[in-house]
């Protein structure tokens, strides 16, 4: 009796579930600026979802505010909107995205017709606390970013994170992106949010105040750290390809520079990558210390 030739067994190939992009978590608490605390419901899950689905031109603009809120995790100062905007302005700028402060008045209208007003068209300081509301505009993509909208109870209850929308921008004689009195209306659940742009005096009340000058280094430092965590996430599997298609030459240069280099957050909260410095020696470098080719655009804000 001849032996039968055994055929090779065929198995149904198993489908591997796609890996969700990983959002780096700081090993140490993020630096906190002086002041009291306000609750924000930051979510790393929201950030991961954006990393997974955002288009190349959306990645940096949408991910940074959500990542900032998640990293802040309630550890935010009393001047939450101003400090957030100045931190995020530096974070955006490190990745090559221009961002500008925009003081606003915010009216929240409820489904029943009632509402609440926050901020002021004529903000002022009480000691070291600024009484107003501030957002960011991104001129190149014409986006409007309210990273701290969830400091307001009725908006936080919805749990959708920072408010990001599109606006029509144009540069005016005084250098502003939007005319005083211009309005932006956005929907959040059953709420209608109407932002009214304050005048140049409101912006001057922020940037020219001694309190802001005193914390300028802190805003730069925390901005660099937020941008560093974002860069670590943007180089991840399933994300890097889209990030390299983003319209930001500085971001692309940084992604090439850090590649898969290890990084860590020290006891001070500063994030550093293990890379060669300008002399060729390997060192732990902050994002703003990484050597880039001369042709790469400088970080914002610029002189």
């Amino acid at each position: 009796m001849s032996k039968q030739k055994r055929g090779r067994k065929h198995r149904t190939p198993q489908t591997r579930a796609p890996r969700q992009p990983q959002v780096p978590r700081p090993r140490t608490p993020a630096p906190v600026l002086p002041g009291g605390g306000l609750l924000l419901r930051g979510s790393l899950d929201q950030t991961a979802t954006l990393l997974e689905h955002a288009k190349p031109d959306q990645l940096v603009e949408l991910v940074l505010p959500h990542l900032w809120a998640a990293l802040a995790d309630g550890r935010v100062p009393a001047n939450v909107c101003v400090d957030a905007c100045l931190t995020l302005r530096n974070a955006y700028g490190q990745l090559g995205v221009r961002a500008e402060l925009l003081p606003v008045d915010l009216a929240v209208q409820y489904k029943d017709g009632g509402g609440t007003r926050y901020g002021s068209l004529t903000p002022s300081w009480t000691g070291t606390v600024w009484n107003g509301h501030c957002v960011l505009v991104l001129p190149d993509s014409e986006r409007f970013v309210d990273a701290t909208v969830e400091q307001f109870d009725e908006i936080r209850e919805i749990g959708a994170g920072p408010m990001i929308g599109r606006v029509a921008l144009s540069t005016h004689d005084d250098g502003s992106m939007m005319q005083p009195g211009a309005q932006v209306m956005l929907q959040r659940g059953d709420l209608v949010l109407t932002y009214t742009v304050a005048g140049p005096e409101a912006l001057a009340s922020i940037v020219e105040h001694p309190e802001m000058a005193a914390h300028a280094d802190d805003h730069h430092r925390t901005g660099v750290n937020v941008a560093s965590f974002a860069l670590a996430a943007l180089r991840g599997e399933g994300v890097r390809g889209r990030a390299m298609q983003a319209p930001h030459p500085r971001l692309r240069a940084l992604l090439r520079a850090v590649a898969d280099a290890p990084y860590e957050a020290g006891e001070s909260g500063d994030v550093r990558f293990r890379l060669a410095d300008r002399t060729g020696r390997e060192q732990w470098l902050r994002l703003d210390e990484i050597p880039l080719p001369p042709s790469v655009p400088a970080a914002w804000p610029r002189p």
Side-chain angles (χ1 to χ4, degrees), residues 56-215:
D57 65 320
Q58 299 174 332
L59 268 171
V60 175
E61 287 89 339
L62 302 188
V63 164
L64 271 178
H66 284 270
L67 181 59
W68 172 85
L71 293 174
D73 193 26
R75 301 185 301 271
V76 292
N79 294 325
V80 56
C81 62
V82 172
D83 287 310
C85 284
L86 289 168
T87 293
L88 280 170
R89 186 187 186 213
N90 281 285
Y92 275 121
Q94 286 297 316
L95 302 182
V97 179
R98 181 185 171 198
E100 301 295 345
L101 275 66
L102 186 70
V104 295
D105 169 274
L106 171 59
V108 180
Q109 184 175 351
Y110 310 140
K111 191 175 182 180
D112 62 7
T116 307
R117 186 174 296 275
Y118 301 101
S120 171
L121 295 178
T122 56
S124 60
W125 287 83
T126 302
T128 59
V129 177
W130 188 70
N131 304 304
H133 190 52
C134 188
V135 300
L136 287 173
V137 289
L138 312 181
D140 296 330
S141 60
E142 296 195 323
R143 283 195 170 91
F144 177 99
V145 178
D146 187 349
T148 65
V149 71
E150 288 197 340
Q151 67 180 290
F152 308 122
D153 293 342
E154 64 270 46
I155 302 171
R156 185 169 63 250
E157 288 175 2
I158 298 172
M163 176 68 80
I164 305 168
R166 299 301 292 264
V167 292
L169 301 176
S170 60
T171 303
H172 302 285
D173 293 339
D174 61 0
S176 62
M177 297 289 107
M178 298 182 70
Q179 286 278 28
Q183 292 189 327
V184 177
M185 296 183 67
L186 300 171
Q187 188 88 23
R188 175 59 62 92
D190 289 333
L191 305 176
V192 176
L193 281 62
T194 302
Y195 295 87
T196 303
V197 178
E201 298 83 4
L203 179 60
S205 76
I206 300 174
V207 299
E208 296 178 5
H209 195 274
E211 184 72 7
M212 295 299 99
H215 294 299

Side-chain angles (χ1 to χ4, degrees), residues 235-258:
R235 70 178 182 175
E237 181 182 350
V239 184
R240 189 180 190 277
R242 279 175 291 128
M244 287 298 291
Q245 299 175 39
H248 310 303
R250 185 174 180 84
L251 169 65
R252 299 195 298 268
L254 284 167
L255 285 169
R256 286 190 290 266
V258 301

Side-chain angles (χ1 to χ4, degrees), residues 244-279:
M244 287 298 291
Q245 299 175 39
H248 310 303
R250 185 174 180 84
L251 169 65
R252 299 195 298 268
L254 284 167
L255 285 169
R256 286 190 290 266
V258 301
D260 59 354
Y263 75 98
E264 66 176 18
E267 293 182 2
S268 65
D270 287 337
V271 182
R272 288 182 166 85
F273 295 85
R274 183 70 174 175
L275 293 166
D277 63 14
R278 296 188 185 278
T279 67

